[in-house]
Amino acid sequence: MTSDIGQVSLILALLTALVQTGLGLWGGHRGDTALMSGASRAALCQAGLVVLAFAALTVAFIRSDFAILTVFQNSHTAKPLIYKIAGVWGNHEGSLLLWVMILAGLGAAIAGFGQRLPETLKARTLGIQGLIGAAFLAFALLTSNPFATLTPAPVEGMDLNPLLQDPGLAFHPPFLYLGYVGFSVAFSFALAALLEGRVDPAWARWVRPWTLLAWTALTIGIGLGALWAYMELGWGGYWFWDPVENASLMPWLAGTALLHSAIVVEKRNTLKLWTVLMAITAFSASLLGAFVVRSGVLTSVHAFANDPDRGAVLLLIFVVLTGGALVLFAWRGGAMQAEGRFAAVSRESALILNNVVLAVVTFTVLIGTFWPLFREVTTGERITVGPPYYSAVTTPLVVVLALVMAAGVMLPWKRGYLRDLPRRLAAALGITGLSVLILAVTGGRGGVMAFAGLATGCFIILLTVSDLVSRTKLFSAGPVAALRRAKGFPRAYWGGSLAHAGVGIAILGMVGTSLWVTERRVVLSPGEMTSLAGFEVRYEAIRTIAEANYTTERSTFALERNGKVVARLMPERRWYPAAEQQTVEAAVLPRWANDIYIAVGEPRGVEDEARVVRLYHHPLALWLWGGGLLMAAGGALSLTDRRYRIGAPAKKTKPSAGVTAVGAAPGLAE
């Protein structure tokens, strides 16, 4: 019964998506109010049907309904409830259904909250959103049906991949997919604007909150994924420039560029073509990521599927959507004429340069990800592109990006003067230089890379603080007046400042955890000791514990300093009998300045209690997670800015003129 409800719901959702596409695009073309209203109702109906299908699959997982193939392959009766629910999206079919549900939900949100949008723009946006939904619903039904059944129904399931039975992975995919799919809204808005032949400040104001939502969710998703890799895989790191990791980074970089370019459109009514192109690129990168994760063309511990046939269908969806968007861009892009003017030295120019650098970084990651595949196909030679390549190429670009960020923050709109920058940046540059000098004098490790990273991180943080001090006139007006001025700043400013500071803090964390790390690999038996970063590490005991769906070998280590026990860490090796798979659970002592990280490996012999123990001292690891949290918090705070709930403000004119801003819709002036 559950599978029937889900199956019928998906079929009806596909038909509704096709209706939504037709009503939206044709109604927008004809300007027919009835048809355009029908597109909104179809979007709401499609979302309801997909939610019903997703709910049906969730119920099947909770009830352990092994008559459904997806449940049988990814669940087990002894599994905790949280992982039964996480099992819904812990596989290819269920995760694709989550993707479709988020896609339909965003379409419904446009229909429900887009009352201020021009009717034709809204209808065309819904039409394109429906087309994307129809493509993925058809893909799910024809190649990846989550409600395929088994007869007779098995008594027990095969269990969820043990690597995914982790709290971080329970929440990681929903945020990641909200980020990926969230960029579909910017994509749909961009194509609708091309069909309309108009991009203006109002359009940019409508696009920015959707982009912010996607960017914030993707930031959280990437952070949770990195934390999972840090805790679950037991290798002591959090990012290895894996193809699937890169697949999440590319839309994040493109989305960051889109956010900044949309500001220029909103403020100066220029950079229109580039902003539309970035909207297309961000979602296209998301589609490319879906192809990487599900096709098996690139090997990754994060991959959901290894099916070339389904990968070919995903590649076709990517080619049709991206190729169609670029053809439309080439055909209609000439109608987008920039209206605003600005000097070469201005905040607008700095934001443009910011976009160029982000685009270069995105292209660098793209080349590194797919070059091994291209080389193997063309020459038969297998090569790998690892962290040295990415570090060598991206580090200088990040330094340039920090300098561009400084110019963007400190220069005024429309026209600025380079001679003013040294004075405004003096404090940030001076303290940054002093920090690097202290590192050099105290014998800091890591060479040029460490110095560049430290200087960049400190500079971004201090730049953010310096800008706040300058805007509030703290030193000239006094604390009381500065606080009064600060209260009047829009939430988007505070959100942007938090996000920028988070970037700087995260960079410092990256330097500490990658360039200053201390690693020890020793063989220890209970009762033996070793040392790490000023601690005496005593291997106290090892015991085997039977849990509901796995057996764990839990070791206890005491961290001692000056003869006193500071903390006890208990890393584990777990064995999941249903999946016949072992996992390593690291134990971490987090502190503001560093982490102590312990993971236990295999025994040397069958009855030998000696274990291979990996110990790591990670300076500034907490700064990495804190920086990511600040970035996400900044995005979330910016989303609450009231300006995003209305259109672009009207330009100030003389009372007798009686005109509204160029491109602004009536009734949308702030």
Side-chain angles (χ1 to χ4, degrees):
M1 182 65 179
T2 303
S3 62
D4 293 336
I5 293 173
Q7 186 81 9
V8 171
S9 297
L10 285 184
I11 294 172
L12 292 176
L14 173 58
L15 296 175
T16 307
L18 293 171
V19 171
Q20 176 184 331
T21 302
L23 292 177
L25 295 179
W26 185 245
H29 176 70
R30 294 286 303 273
D32 189 310
T33 303
L35 294 178
M36 292 188 290
S37 298
S40 294
R41 289 192 291 272
L44 295 170
C45 182
Q46 183 203 160
L49 289 167
V50 177
V51 168
L52 179 60
F54 189 84
L57 188 60
T58 303
V59 169
F61 268 88
I62 293 174
R63 293 179 175 176
S64 297
D65 184 358
F66 299 126
I68 297 177
L69 178 61
T70 303
V71 180
F72 166 70
Q73 292 176 332
N74 298 280
S75 193
H76 192 277
T77 53
K79 193 167 60 174
L81 178 61
I82 184 175
Y83 298 128
K84 286 185 177 181
I85 297 173
V88 178
W89 53 78
N91 58 87
H92 168 71
E93 291 80 7
S95 65
L96 185 62
L97 183 57
L98 175 63
W99 176 291
V100 173
M101 185 180 72
I102 295 173
L103 187 63
L106 290 170
I110 297 171
F113 300 107
Q115 295 91 343
R116 293 180 177 271
L117 288 168
E119 288 189 354
T120 55
L121 178 67
K122 177 181 176 181
R124 283 169 163 153
T125 301
L126 287 173
I128 297 163
Q129 199 76 8
L131 178 63
I132 300 170
F136 278 96
L137 281 165
F139 174 67
L141 286 167
L142 297 176
T143 71
S144 311
N145 188 357
F147 295 103
T149 57
L150 290 171
T151 305
V155 176
E156 189 55 270
M158 297 172 63
D159 205 1
L160 177 66
N161 183 346
L163 287 174
L164 303 181
Q165 296 188 40
D166 177 84
L169 258 290
F171 301 103
H172 162 68
F175 280 107
L176 198 67
Y177 287 2
L178 180 56
Y180 283 154
V181 181
F183 287 124
S184 70
V185 179
F187 178 87
S188 297
F189 265 108
L191 298 197
L194 289 172
L195 291 173
E196 295 260 309
R198 187 181 70 177
V199 169
D200 54 26
W203 177 88
R205 180 70 62 84
W206 292 316
V207 167
R208 281 182 67 189
W210 299 104
T211 306
L212 262 174
L213 174 65
W215 183 89
T216 302
L218 191 54
T219 301
I220 297 172
I222 291 173
L224 288 174
L227 186 60
W228 167 78
Y230 185 64
M231 299 296 297
E232 182 74 19
L233 299 184
W235 62 290
Y238 57 90
W239 190 272
F240 198 68
W241 296 100
D242 177 276
V244 174
E245 293 171 345
N246 294 348
S248 64
L249 181 61
M250 287 186 288
W252 186 88
L253 291 168
T256 304
L258 172 60
L259 278 174
H260 289 84
S261 62
I263 294 174
V264 181
V265 177
E266 182 181 338
K267 296 290 185 181
R268 304 303 307 157
N269 200 19
T270 190
L271 206 63
K272 299 176 182 181
L273 282 177
W274 179 263
T275 303
V276 169
L277 183 60
M278 284 296 99
I280 295 172
T281 301
F283 184 58
S284 296
S286 297
L287 293 174
L288 193 60
F291 167 72
V292 169
V293 173
R294 300 168 191 278
S295 64
V297 296
L298 295 171
T299 303
S300 169
V301 68
H302 307 274
F304 267 127
N306 186 11
D307 189 336
D309 293 334
R310 288 191 294 203
V313 177
L314 278 171
L315 185 60
L316 178 63
I317 293 174
F318 166 77
V319 170
V320 170
L321 291 177
T322 302
L326 292 176
V327 168
L328 182 61
F329 178 80
W331 176 39
R332 301 282 290 174
M336 310 292 179
Q337 297 297 326
E339 296 181 16
R341 296 290 182 267
F342 53 88
V345 179
S346 62
R347 182 172 296 188
E348 292 90 335
S349 295
L351 287 171
I352 292 172
L353 188 55
N354 165 289
N355 267 244
V356 171
V357 177
L358 285 170
V360 172
V361 176
T362 305
F363 185 71
T364 298
V365 176
L366 178 68
I367 292 297
T369 303
F370 285 95
W371 181 253
L373 178 63
F374 175 78
R375 186 69 176 268
E376 183 177 354
V377 170
T378 55
T379 67
E381 180 185 2
R382 291 191 175 185
I383 63 170
T384 59
V385 177
Y389 160 79
Y390 294 103
S391 297
V393 176
T394 60
T395 299
L397 292 173
V398 172
V399 174
V400 172
L401 194 62
L403 296 174
V404 173
M405 184 187 298
V409 169
M410 291 302 181
L411 285 172
W413 292 102
K414 199 170 182 179
R415 178 178 293 278
Y417 299 94
L418 286 177
R419 64 174 180 269
D420 294 336
L421 279 179
R423 174 180 56 81
R424 303 190 69 178
L425 296 175
L429 288 170
I431 299 175
T432 300
L434 181 61
S435 301
V436 175
L437 180 62
I438 291 173
L439 176 69
V441 171
T442 55
R445 296 177 292 137
V448 175
M449 299 286 283
F451 288 125
L454 179 70
T456 302
C458 289
F459 180 62
I460 292 174
I461 296 168
L462 294 168
L463 173 68
T464 305
V465 175
S466 176
D467 179 60
L468 178 60
V469 169
S470 174
R471 286 174 180 266
T472 57
K473 302 185 184 302
L474 176 62
F475 296 127
S476 60
V480 176
L483 181 60
R484 188 162 48 246
R485 289 177 63 88
K487 288 181 178 179
F489 292 166
R491 291 181 184 178
Y493 169 77
W494 289 110
S497 297
L498 273 180
H500 287 162
V503 170
I505 293 172
I507 289 174
L508 295 181
M510 293 174 195
V511 171
T513 53
S514 58
L515 299 178
W516 296 341
V517 63
T518 301
E519 177 184 354
R520 295 283 313 275
R521 184 170 299 198
V522 296
V523 177
L524 295 176
S525 297
E528 295 182 338
M529 297 182 66
T530 187
S531 60
L532 177 73
F535 287 99
E536 295 298 319
V537 183
R538 182 187 301 275
Y539 194 173
E540 290 189 331
I542 182 172
R543 56 182 178 147
T544 301
I545 302 171
E547 299 289 354
N549 64 323
Y550 64 89
T551 300
T552 182
E553 181 185 271
R554 183 175 297 161
S555 300
T556 303
F557 292 84
L559 271 62
E560 301 177 2
R561 178 170 281 173
N562 299 325
K564 296 182 179 180
V565 177
V566 177
R568 282 186 169 86
L569 298 180
M570 291 182 285
E572 300 180 24
R573 287 193 313 123
R574 295 178 180 176
W575 172 253
Y576 292 80
E580 297 185 350
Q581 187 172 337
Q582 180 179 286
T583 66
V584 175
E585 308 288 327
V588 180
L589 174 64
R591 303 188 300 169
W592 76 270
N594 52 60
D595 277 3
I596 301 298
Y597 180 108
I598 301 178
V600 175
E602 298 286 341
R604 291 189 301 180
V606 177
E607 298 182 359
D608 193 348
E609 286 195 332
R611 297 290 185 271
V612 176
V613 181
R614 296 188 299 277
L615 305 102
Y616 297 88
H617 171 248
H618 286 144
L620 304 183
L622 204 58
W623 293 44
L624 175 64
W625 314 122
L629 185 61
L630 274 181
M631 292 161 63
L637 181 60
S638 295
L639 271 172
T640 65
D641 195 307
R642 66 177 295 273
R643 294 177 300 170
Y644 294 144
R645 296 194 294 272
I646 58 179
K651 293 182 179 179
K652 294 182 179 179
T653 57
K654 296 180 181 180
S656 60
V659 295
T660 57
V662 176
L668 293 178
E670 185 174 27

